[in-house]
Each structure stands twice: as structure tokens, then as C-alpha cells.
Amino acid sequence: MTRPPDALQRLRRVHEDLVLGTLRATGPLSRADIVERTGLSRTTLFAIIADLVRRGAVTEAEARPSGARGRPPTLVALAPEAGQLIGLDLARRRVHLAVANVAHQVVATGTADVSERADAAERAETAVRLIRRVIGERGIGLGSLEAIGLGLHGVVDEPARPAGEGANPAAERLAAEFGVRVAVDNNARLAALAESTWGAAKAVSDLVYVRWSTGIGGGYVVGGRLVRGAHGGAGELGHVSLDPGGPICHCGGRGCLEERAGGQALLEACAARGVAVAGLDELVEAARDRVPEVCALITAAATRIGRVLAGTVVQLDPRRVVLGGELGALGSLVLDPVRAEISRLALPNAAHSLDVVSADLGGNASAMGAIALLLQEDPDIPDHLRPAPSPA
Amino acid sequence: MTRPPDALQRLRRVHEDLVLGTLRATGPLSRADIVERTGLSRTTLFAIIADLVRRGAVTEAEARPSGARGRPPTLVALAPEAGQLIGLDLARRRVHLAVANVAHQVVATGTADVSERADAAERAETAVRLIRRVIGERGIGLGSLEAIGLGLHGVVDEPARPAGEGANPAAERLAAEFGVRVAVDNNARLAALAESTWGAAKAVSDLVYVRWSTGIGGGYVVGGRLVRGAHGGAGELGHVSLDPGGPICHCGGRGCLEERAGGQALLEACAARGVAVAGLDELVEAARDRVPEVCALITAAATRIGRVLAGTVVQLDPRRVVLGGELGALGSLVLDPVRAEISRLALPNAAHSLDVVSADLGGNASAMGAIALLLQEDPDIPDHLRPAPSPA
């Protein structure tokens, strides 16, 4: 967190959120209706609405004449073009952006390329330029911007910490540029949260998500909450050991799943077999073209992932397993071996209902998840305005 | 849940909890102080206190003369001998009991033997007799009894469900006998909750607990909450596959950890090697006597458990791993191999701080955990009266 608001600012934020939350729940309302539903005084409410109108968060319009006597009342409505929450994913080679309006709908997304060698400061500059470009093109106002969620690669220890206390430099830069607080989390975990909020695991509160791409990452949702871990390291599925006597991995462990089934490992296996695929995109294309050697390698890799997931399923008992990332999107080619291995190894006699499905969301999943993080985790948003927890 | 209270009863319960919670937090208070701290009206408060006194939940005593003028006020205090919450563990061969008073302190425990072949009804009768005996011996009143927590072996799908909707028959019997609601959960998970509430992982909100006994079970606490799973099956560590081509386990899987490292498997391995140990207690004794063949078998089993736990640690990133059960209590003999395998396989370069320790609590851990479940999960206890979430 940066710039903690003082008590008076906080109170005004609570009042604002109360008004915006009421409009989100009900649609346009007259001032009298808002007074009744929020319990705010007329004086307080009129001041808040004047400020929200000035900042572009809400608009006013006359209601249609109803046939009743007297002037129709003025209705207050959410402004669809007002950005309230920004989600960013600073991925290895690309910055992804999603913007949610005051109705908490994702109204814009965008991406910008970034060098793999770019440092945090360069990535933050790219993100700032991307935000400015997208809101300019779409006519989105930032007068009601409330927070930024930021997805980062690797271990993210603290989802929100005060400025100057070792926060990520990209988070610092964004907080300074836009004058709002910034919450950060690991981007594979955020993709899991996005799938459970808008995607393939919507309304599923116990979820195991796997991002199968160049590497293998994961994100777990338990009882509707993202599992972060004691040190921000939860979800490192790719570093579960398949073979405790295997070769040493860059993580220091041995026989890690990622080294036997990650996209990079598959590319190396293709090269060793003389199969010409230049990169992950070509590998995925070859799999879609059902090139036999490629399909065999991917099927074997999916079986290994299934073997590790069987252990995860036994321990966490999720309702659904979601395969994301470029390789997770390959449909039955990868889903079937994963399902088969889980069915064979994870308490086959228990007959629990478990789905294994591909992810719904695309490359912007983590940026959207950063918005979901703000909706779910932000302690400044009062409880009664948060989305209801997903039913099991 | 059984006997859902109607709205008026609920309101009275909330008021009662407010008064008891205030006394728990502050110690004895005058009626005037309680009115001030709870915001209840004098009329409401006096009626509640009269009822609590009648039921033996609180007592009244004159304050010591303070030197000030006038009569010293009457102080209201929690009655240490009033039972408010009962925890039970219907284990395979024994029923365990713990009773907490209105101050939420465990004031009595007890056990009774039960046949391994006893059905749910017999176990419930044994539990009823055990409760009656222990409260009789200790002079504990049940006038303020609020709920019973019940630990069961195996998959427990629903921690609390309405009577008649497929609830466990033992839960039904206990609810009928004592006229309170009954919450149920798996007893290994409850032991994990007990360790995180009173034991070896007190104030640790990310915890992996292993119960290493005849079988191998587990319980995970994530972000301060018990992981139950989508079907009540979370924590089945013993059925993670070590060897996907291994022999078929009773769960239907292959090469399960329990078949290679559980107490039963160790006893069979001893028999095959001609080492004379008649049961689990003798096996543990032989290990404490450092019988070489027994120690070698146990060390190898601990290494296998460590191998599975390394995968768990990589995925959940806990702060502490707790080994419970008779075999988990063997100290360095089992802790060292588990630590070594986790250090070798679980992200060695990440240098996260992770403790691996033996459990603190004994055979009544699950019964105590059933009380912790009521304190943490019971939706009828207002949030402000629940124990604060454990800091990381």
C-alpha cells in the first residue's frame, strides 16, 4: 500500500463506496432512493454525488416522464467509461492491462511488448505508457481510479505493503504516477483467481490451476480464497520432484516436474529428436496439426503433470482442475492424459466429482486476476461491497 | 446443525455471547461496566445476567471495599466450572473428550475404550456416558452448554448440516441428548487445528500437519483456516502415490505413501524381517530403545514421508510442518530424515524459513480440535467474539 488515507479521507471513501456499491447493485436511482438505501444524510450524499459527477464516476439524467404529476426526478447512474480499478501483469516479454469500471466490469484490455532483459523500472514505464494509451483510445476517465493490482513473475511475498518498505520498484512507480495504492501478487496465482472469478472455474471455491507454458506454475483457491503461503511461494507446482534422484534443477531441487514437462523441456526434447520447432508457438501449432512426435512428447508430459496433480488432488480435494497457459489450451490432447492419471492415482474408490478443464481466459488472465485481487483482498473496500463468496 | 434457533432465540444468544465475550476479554465487571462496554440496555442486560446466573455460567460476588464511599458494587464473573463447549473424537478404538468452560479454557479431558467393531450408535452411547462421568467427577455444569464438536474417522463432507439431512447418526444422538447443535469434521484435520490453536503451531497460520500412526493422515491450515476440500476429503497425505506403478492400495490407487510408511506397513516389514514387535506401541518402544532394524525401517519411512511433504511444501509454502501421531512423536529419529528430504527437494535455493517439529498435544488433540472448530467455524458465534486470526 502507498499513501494511506487519513481517517477523514477513509470515511469519505467508505461513503463513496456505499453509494457506488448501491448503484452497482440496483442500477440508476434518484437521490431520495439513495438516501433511503444507504442511510447517509442528504447533505453528505449531495456532496458525495457532486464530487463523483465532477470526477466522472457517475452521471445524472432526467428519468423518463412516468405520467405521474410533477417533474420527473433526476437519476444518478454509474458512468460506464469511468475506470475504477486497473490490473497489470508484468510478464516476461509482455505487459498486459485490464481496466474495470465503477460497475466492476472489465471494459478495456491491452498489451505491450517488453524486452526479456528489461528491469522493473523499464517495465513500469511500459505499463504507464500502455495505460495512458488505452484509456486515451477508449475515452476512459481515471478521476475515480481507486487502486492498481499488479501481477509479477516469481515469489511475491507481500500483497500490499507500505511505500518505502521494500515494495517492488514497479509498484512504487505506478503508485506515484497515478496517486493510488498498488497491491501485488504472483501472476500465475492471479490467473487462478481470474479463472475462479470470470472463467473456467466461476463459482468454484476449491480450485487447482496450472499454468503450463515455458515453465509450469500454479495457483490454488481454497474455500474461495487464494492460497499465498507463509512466504508468498505457494503454487510452485513445477518444482514438485518427480524423481528424487533426478538431475538438479535451477531451483536447487532434483527431478522437478518443470524439467520433465515444461515448454522449454519439450522444445529441448524436440531438438534432441530432430523435430524442427523454433519456439513455444510453433510447438503448440505442431501439436494442433497432430505431428506425431510432438503429440507423443506432449502426452507424456501431460501424464507427468497428472501424476503430480493426483497428489495435489488427494491433499486439497478441489472441485475442479484448470489447465491454463499455451500448452494447457491444447484440449483433449492434454486433458485426457491428466484426467487418466488423476483417476488412476487419486483415491479412485472415493468417487469424488472432479472436473479437469482448459482455462477460459487468454493472455490477459493475470491482469484480470489483479482486478479480482483488488475486489477480493483489498482491506479498504468494506465487506458489504465485496462480491459474495463463491458457493461450492 | 440441529435445532436451528428462531430469530428471538438467536438474538438472545448474540446478547449472551456479547456479555460472555466481554467478561472473557476483561475479567469480572460490575453491571454498569457491562452496560457501558456492550451497549445493551440495563433491562436486557439484567435479564441476561439473571438467566446466566441461574444456568451457572456466571457468578456474582461483592467487589473488595475500595475505600471509596458507598457499598462496593457486585461484580459479575465467568464461572470456571461451567461447560460451554464439548469436543469429542470418535477414534477407532477410543473415544476422547475435552470440555471448555465459558472462558474458552479446556477444563477437563477424558477417554473411554470402544470396540473397533462398534457402530456409530454404540460410539455415541460411549461418548454420552463419558461426558456424564467426567462432568460428574469434575463438578462441571452443562446449563450453559452451547455446542458439541465431533471428530470422525474418514471423509467428513459437511461440518454442520441440519438434522435429518443425512447427518452422522452419532451427531444426531448427541444433539438429541444434550439439546445443542453438533458440528463434525475429520479427526486428523481437527488435530491440525488443535496444534495451531494450543500446540506446536500456535499462532502459525500456514501449517501442514501429519498424523503418523497405523495409517497416515493430514490436516492443512492455510491463512488461519482449516482446508476441508470440495468434498470433505482434504488432507489425505497417506494416499499420495510414491510409485505410480506400485501395488494397488485399499483406496484404489497405486504405490500410496501409507502402504510404504504407515504403522501397519512398518509392522508387516518387521514381521517379514523376523523382528518381534506385537503392535504399534511395541514398535514405538523398540524405536525409543534404538533397536537397529526398527530404527532403519522407521528412518526409511520418514524419508518417504519427507519426499511427499517436499511436494506439499513447494505447493502450499507453509511456515511449519508438524508431525503427530505415535510415530511422529519419535523426535529426531523421524524429524531429521523428514527435514533432510524437504531441504533437498523443496526449492532449496529459496531459503524460506520452515520448521519441522513434533506435535505438542497428545491423544486428546482431535477432541481439543473439535472445540477449536467451534470457536473458529461456528457461524452462530458473532465475529467480534471469535479469537483473532493467528499472525503469520
Side-chain angles (χ1 to χ4, degrees):
Chain A
M1 295 282 178
T2 55
R3 303 197 341 158
D6 65 26
L8 215 66
Q9 279 176 327
R10 278 185 72 97
L11 186 62
R12 202 169 55 197
R13 273 276 309 283
V14 169
H15 290 163
E16 255 183 44
D17 289 347
L18 195 57
V19 172
L20 293 173
T22 303
L23 293 173
R24 265 195 291 277
T26 63
L29 289 173
S30 69
R31 281 180 166 76
D33 282 340
I34 301 176
V35 162
E36 192 184 312
R37 285 164 191 266
T38 61
L40 296 174
S41 75
R42 284 177 57 89
T43 315
T44 301
L45 181 76
F46 279 46
I48 287 170
I49 288 181
D51 192 45
L52 288 172
V53 167
R54 188 183 56 73
R55 283 156 48 202
V58 302
T59 56
E60 293 177 291
E62 239 176 47
R64 287 153 183 271
S66 63
R69 295 223 246 139
R71 244 184 70 193
T74 303
L75 293 186
V76 179
L78 296 177
E81 71 285 2
Q84 191 184 30
L85 301 169
I86 285 177
L88 284 165
D89 172 20
L90 306 192
R92 288 185 211 232
R93 283 173 297 183
R94 205 165 256 194
V95 174
H96 298 269
L97 165 71
V99 183
N101 66 8
V102 286
H104 291 175
Q105 297 159 326
V106 174
V107 288
T109 58
T111 60
D113 290 336
V114 67
S115 159
E116 246 182 292
R117 286 157 307 180
D119 63 10
E122 284 174 76
R123 284 164 198 275
E125 288 314 315
T126 304
V128 168
R129 282 196 303 272
L130 175 63
I131 293 169
R132 295 283 178 211
R133 173 166 68 76
V134 168
I135 64 167
E137 286 169 7
R138 305 292 183 90
I140 295 168
L142 292 186
S144 55
L145 183 66
E146 198 170 82
I148 295 175
L150 184 60
L152 299 171
H153 189 73
V155 171
V156 176
D157 197 350
E158 188 67 45
R161 68 162 89 217
E165 292 185 16
N168 178 278
E172 296 274 1
R173 173 75 182 87
L174 288 158
E177 176 75 17
F178 295 99
V180 294
R181 65 200 183 293
V182 178
V184 300
D185 209 329
N186 169 275
N187 52 13
R189 291 202 295 258
L190 291 179
L193 195 58
E195 292 291 341
S196 80
T197 306
W198 292 288
K202 198 173 160 179
V204 170
S205 47
D206 293 277
L207 157 72
V208 168
Y209 171 86
V210 183
R211 175 138 77 181
W212 188 9
S213 178
T214 306
I216 298 176
Y220 309 143
V221 175
V222 163
R225 311 295 292 180
L226 197 57
V227 178
R228 189 164 282 120
H231 322 84
E236 289 290 355
L237 194 79
H239 295 285
V240 175
S241 174
L242 274 177
D243 173 9
I248 292 185
C249 170
H250 65 87
C251 78
R254 282 176 175 276
C256 290
L257 174 64
E258 183 168 286
E259 301 279 303
R260 300 292 307 281
Q264 185 58 41
L266 289 173
L267 289 173
E268 286 161 17
C270 284
R273 279 161 185 74
V275 181
V277 286
L280 195 63
D281 292 346
E282 278 191 24
L283 183 77
V284 168
E285 207 180 318
R288 292 207 190 277
D289 292 344
R290 292 297 187 261
V291 175
E293 300 91 327
V294 169
C295 289
L297 283 170
I298 289 179
T299 302
T303 299
R304 291 189 193 103
I305 292 175
R307 181 175 157 196
V308 169
L309 284 174
T312 311
V313 165
V314 162
Q315 293 177 80
L316 295 183
D317 181 24
R319 178 74 188 76
R320 194 164 295 172
V321 171
V322 176
L323 297 191
E326 294 91 333
L327 290 159
L330 283 171
S332 61
L333 183 70
V334 296
L335 294 172
D336 288 348
V338 168
R339 285 183 188 128
E341 201 68 353
I342 292 177
S343 297
R344 195 170 76 86
L345 295 177
L347 298 168
N349 296 346
H352 286 161
S353 56
L354 173 80
D355 312 322
V356 180
V357 301
S358 288
D360 276 357
L361 308 175
N364 295 320
S366 297
M368 292 171 69
I371 288 175
L373 175 75
L374 295 172
L375 293 175
Q376 185 184 68
E377 305 280 58
D378 187 336
D380 276 356
I381 295 181
D383 268 339
H384 67 277
L385 296 179
R386 287 199 188 136
S390 307
Chain B
M1 294 281 178
T2 57
R3 304 196 341 156
D6 65 25
L8 214 67
Q9 281 178 325
R10 277 185 73 96
L11 186 64
R12 202 171 56 197
R13 273 277 310 282
V14 169
H15 289 164
E16 254 183 45
D17 288 349
L18 194 59
V19 172
L20 294 173
T22 303
L23 293 172
R24 265 195 290 279
T26 62
L29 290 173
S30 70
R31 281 181 167 75
D33 282 340
I34 301 176
V35 162
E36 192 184 315
R37 285 164 192 264
T38 61
L40 297 174
S41 74
R42 282 176 58 89
T43 313
T44 302
L45 181 75
F46 279 46
I48 286 169
I49 288 180
D51 191 47
L52 289 171
V53 167
R54 187 183 56 72
R55 284 156 48 203
V58 303
T59 56
E60 294 177 291
E62 238 174 49
R64 285 153 184 271
S66 63
R69 293 220 249 145
R71 245 185 67 193
T74 303
L75 293 187
V76 179
L78 297 177
E81 71 285 2
Q84 191 184 28
L85 302 170
I86 285 178
L88 284 165
D89 172 21
L90 306 191
R92 290 186 211 232
R93 283 173 297 183
R94 205 165 256 195
V95 174
H96 298 269
L97 165 71
V99 183
N101 66 8
V102 287
H104 292 175
Q105 297 159 328
V106 175
V107 289
T109 57
T111 60
D113 290 335
V114 69
S115 159
E116 245 180 293
R117 285 157 307 178
D119 63 11
E122 284 175 73
R123 284 164 199 274
E125 288 315 314
T126 304
V128 169
R129 283 195 303 273
L130 175 62
I131 293 170
R132 296 281 177 214
R133 174 167 66 77
V134 168
I135 64 165
E137 286 170 6
R138 304 292 184 90
I140 294 168
L142 291 186
S144 54
L145 183 65
E146 197 168 83
I148 295 175
L150 184 59
L152 299 171
H153 190 72
V155 170
V156 176
D157 198 350
E158 190 67 46
R161 67 162 89 216
E165 294 185 14
N168 179 278
E172 295 275 3
R173 174 75 182 88
L174 289 159
E177 176 74 18
F178 295 101
V180 294
R181 66 198 183 291
V182 178
V184 300
D185 208 328
N186 168 276
N187 52 13
R189 290 201 295 258
L190 291 179
L193 195 57
E195 293 291 342
S196 81
T197 307
W198 293 289
K202 197 173 159 180
V204 170
S205 47
D206 294 276
L207 157 72
V208 168
Y209 171 86
V210 183
R211 177 138 75 181
W212 188 9
S213 180
T214 305
I216 298 177
Y220 309 143
V221 174
V222 162
R225 312 295 290 180
L226 198 56
V227 178
R228 188 163 283 120
H231 321 84
E236 288 291 353
L237 194 78
H239 295 285
V240 174
S241 173
L242 273 177
D243 175 8
I248 292 184
C249 171
H250 65 87
C251 77
R254 282 178 174 275
C256 290
L257 174 65
E258 185 167 286
E259 300 281 302
R260 300 293 306 281
Q264 186 58 40
L266 289 173
L267 289 172
E268 287 162 18
C270 284
R273 280 163 185 72
V275 180
V277 286
L280 196 62
D281 292 347
E282 278 193 23
L283 183 78
V284 168
E285 207 180 319
R288 292 207 190 277
D289 291 346
R290 293 293 187 262
V291 175
E293 300 92 329
V294 170
C295 290
L297 283 170
I298 289 179
T299 301
T303 300
R304 291 190 193 104
I305 292 175
R307 181 175 155 196
V308 169
L309 284 174
T312 312
V313 165
V314 162
Q315 292 177 82
L316 294 183
D317 182 23
R319 176 74 188 77
R320 194 163 295 171
V321 171
V322 176
L323 297 190
E326 295 90 332
L327 290 158
L330 282 171
S332 61
L333 184 69
V334 295
L335 294 173
D336 288 347
V338 169
R339 285 182 188 129
E341 201 67 352
I342 292 177
S343 297
R344 194 170 77 86
L345 296 177
L347 298 169
N349 296 346
H352 287 161
S353 55
L354 173 80
D355 312 322
V356 180
V357 301
S358 287
D360 276 358
L361 307 175
N364 295 320
S366 297
M368 292 171 69
I371 288 175
L373 176 74
L374 296 171
L375 293 175
Q376 184 183 65
E377 306 281 56
D378 186 335
D380 276 355
I381 295 181
D383 269 339
H384 67 276
L385 295 179
R386 287 201 186 135
S390 307

